[in-house]
Amino acid sequence: VNEDSGPAGFLMVCFIAVAVALPRVWALGSRSYSVAEANLLLQSSEPYQKIAQLIAWGGERHAPYNLKYALVVKLWASAGGTGEWWMRSFSLAAGFAGIYFAYLASRAVLDRKPALVAALLTAVCPFHVIFSRAVGYESLLFMLCAASTYFFLKIYTSRARAADYFFFFAAMFAALNLHYLAVLLLVPFN
């Protein structure tokens, strides 16, 4: 929070932080895995070579989940186990980062107060809350799309450094490889 924003700006940021954290963290590990989450975890227990082979053979067309995300889940499980809270914490962190990038993207074209309102609306969106609390690619996809939008706006407004070009292409490449719907961002970027 800037010094010139005063106590009202600080309270707004605190309110947004609570709105972001409370519905996502509350009771995160108290429910068991859903069928889709269990299928994804079961697939991620396979060796890396088998998952890569399924991706190369086009197995995603026949799987009810994203096989590329199964690689991410496998890496995350190898770092901390397969407990409900730990496995869902990656989507939680991606959801938090997505809200932050959504704020930065809206801040690139709006004043501070409308950007905070945009972050608040993103934070309380029911679909974003649901996807941030589940083991799935949706939060990661949102975060990558919000990050690529932010870096595109920095490039578009001529305030970019060389690193911003790299981060834009990296985020867009990762989003396009994660899910085909990210191609819809290319339309307004042109």
Side-chain angles (χ1 to χ4, degrees), residues 26-80:
W26 179 58
L28 185 66
S30 64
R31 62 184 177 91
S32 60
Y33 289 127
S34 68
V35 173
E37 290 173 320
N39 282 335
L40 183 62
L41 290 170
L42 184 63
Q43 182 63 49
S44 67
S45 67
E46 297 289 340
Y48 288 107
Q49 295 82 6
K50 185 171 183 180
I51 298 172
Q53 192 176 39
L54 285 172
I55 292 170
W57 288 347
E60 286 188 323
R61 290 178 289 204
H62 308 291
Y65 43 81
N66 192 322
L67 285 175
K68 294 171 188 159
Y69 190 71
L71 291 172
V72 174
V73 169
K74 185 168 183 67
L75 286 171
W76 191 250
S78 67

Side-chain angles (χ1 to χ4, degrees), residues 9 14 29-30 32-33 36 39 43 49 52 54 63 65 99 101 108 113 120 122-123 154 161 177 180 184:
C14 290
S30 64
S32 60
Y33 289 127
N39 282 335
Q43 182 63 49
Q49 295 82 6
L54 285 172
Y65 43 81
I99 292 169
F101 279 118
K113 285 184 182 180
L120 177 64
T122 305
K154 279 187 76 172
R161 304 174 318 229
N177 276 310
Y180 66 89
L184 295 175

